[in-house]
Amino acid sequence: MKESPQAYPQGFQPDQASHMLAQAGHNGWLGLKYHAHGENWVELKLPWREDLVGGTGGEVLASGPIISLMDMTSGMSIWTTAKAFTPIATLDLRVDYQRPAKPHSAVIGHVECYKMTRSAAFVRGFAHDGRADDPVAHIAGVFMTIGKDPRSV
Amino acid sequence: MSKTMNDPNPLTPYARSLGIAVEGEENGAPKLYVEFDTAVEGRPGHFHGGATSGLLETAGYAALRARLAKDGRNPQLKPINITVQFLSAGKSKRSYAVGHITRLGRRNANVTVEAWQDDRERPIATAVMNILMVEKEG
């Protein structure tokens, strides 16, 4: 993830950025996959895996991997909206859990970047396990751009 | 990963797979840590925010479990929400986390968690969690 904005002359394309997910690192360890995107939103998929289940029994994905899924989906929604890869840092991320995911179910994260300022990006989204109208969680987050002096932008 | 009943390790399969382990305690709450490794790496040389969140959340549950065990309770725990504040970048070194029970009710617990690296007084991230407790039938 060392690309400069120039690496995407046509803008950041999340469906062509699978190297960000397949790379060695936390996203690769989780096995996150590209799912879909629009102008200001991205969907990534977290496949079910036995060693990612939580402690409540029932072969259900733990909440930790879902936070990671939503954090990465948030970042990709910001780069998609900005049409450039710019280094960002999560400032604040809130996750409200509506219900556990179904046993052995993959979880899809959907995040839109609804507002960008010079130094902050605001995101909101939800996670579901098959039906978008019956989410397992909702999220809201704020990210800051890093690597630049905000006063110079 | 084998799943054995009555496993003395209180950590979930997810937490163990990520490399989270227990090292002592602080005010009765287990002190957890995770080594920097490719499984937790986001931006090169730094912790992924999701991995830091996973460590915080696991420490929050561990703190609550320890307190409930002391009180002779063993309810099922269900997450309601978590809000994570990222204070500074997690560097390529071991990260610690410990939870603190702010309020323990009958059905809900409010838990705050801090994660740090070298300096206990300089957290890299904090979290607030609400956890629902469902007493088992019996």
Side-chain angles (χ1 to χ4, degrees):
Chain A
M1 289 174 46
K2 282 187 166 163
E3 292 89 342
S4 64
Q6 291 75 28
Y8 300 95
Q10 272 77 50
F12 178 83
Q13 295 290 331
D15 50 338
Q16 289 162 29
S18 53
H19 56 280
M20 283 188 172
L21 303 172
Q23 67 182 343
H26 189 62
N27 299 315
W29 177 77
L30 285 171
L32 299 185
K33 302 269 188 294
Y34 168 82
H35 193 253
H37 79 280
E39 243 178 64
N40 72 338
W41 60 267
V42 170
E43 287 184 356
L44 298 181
K45 183 175 178 178
L46 169 67
W48 184 87
R49 207 170 75 208
E50 187 177 20
D51 69 327
L52 296 182
V53 305
T56 53
E59 307 287 288
V60 172
L61 281 173
S63 43
I66 294 175
I67 305 180
S68 296
L69 165 71
M70 301 314 281
D71 185 61
M72 187 58 189
T73 311
S74 296
M76 296 207 43
S77 79
I78 292 165
W79 299 322
T80 299
T81 304
K83 296 183 170 56
F85 177 83
T86 51
I88 52 172
T90 318
L91 189 67
D92 174 301
L93 184 64
R94 174 194 176 108
V95 185
D96 292 305
Y97 299 105
Q98 275 77 54
R99 62 172 178 84
K102 296 188 191 86
H104 296 261
S105 270
V107 172
I108 289 164
H110 176 110
V111 178
E112 69 165 318
C113 175
Y114 64 90
K115 176 69 183 175
M116 288 194 75
T117 69
R118 284 175 185 173
S119 49
F122 299 84
V123 298
R124 62 187 165 211
F126 58 91
H128 70 86
D129 55 2
R131 283 180 42 193
D133 60 354
D134 184 22
V136 301
H138 281 80
I139 68 111
V142 184
F143 289 68
M144 301 293 290
T145 54
I146 56 173
K148 288 189 279 204
D149 184 340
R151 289 168 297 186
S152 70
V153 203
Chain B
M1 176 143 305
S2 69
K3 297 192 302 297
T4 50
M5 299 301 285
N6 304 317
D7 193 331
N9 191 331
L11 303 176
T12 61
Y14 156 72
R16 277 176 277 164
S17 184
L18 191 63
I20 297 175
V22 183
E23 185 197 79
E25 59 164 54
E26 188 182 291
N27 300 321
K31 186 166 99 178
L32 307 191
Y33 70 90
V34 63
E35 301 288 356
F36 186 80
D37 187 4
T38 181
V40 300
E41 187 173 32
R43 198 154 54 88
H46 295 82
F47 267 77
H48 191 291
T52 305
S53 304
L55 175 65
L56 286 162
E57 192 177 53
T58 303
Y61 281 111
L64 180 57
R65 274 282 171 223
R67 171 67 179 275
L68 289 168
K70 204 174 135 212
D71 295 352
R73 298 174 60 185
N74 186 28
Q76 188 184 354
L77 303 184
K78 296 182 173 182
I80 298 175
N81 61 19
I82 179 169
T83 305
V84 185
Q85 310 289 320
F86 297 91
L87 307 173
S88 63
K91 308 277 174 52
S92 53
K93 56 183 95 163
R94 182 187 277 207
S95 288
Y96 296 92
V98 70
H100 168 78
I101 315 300
T102 305
R103 147 103 185 140
L104 180 62
R106 195 171 54 83
R107 297 175 57 215
N108 185 43
N110 185 281
V111 182
T112 56
V113 195
E114 288 190 336
W116 70 95
Q117 292 190 313
D118 301 320
D119 185 353
R120 178 66 183 89
E121 300 305 311
R122 199 169 167 276
I124 58 165
T126 63
V128 182
M129 304 167 64
N130 282 290
I131 302 168
L132 184 67
M133 297 173 291
V134 182
E135 301 290 347
K136 289 160 187 149
E137 298 292 319

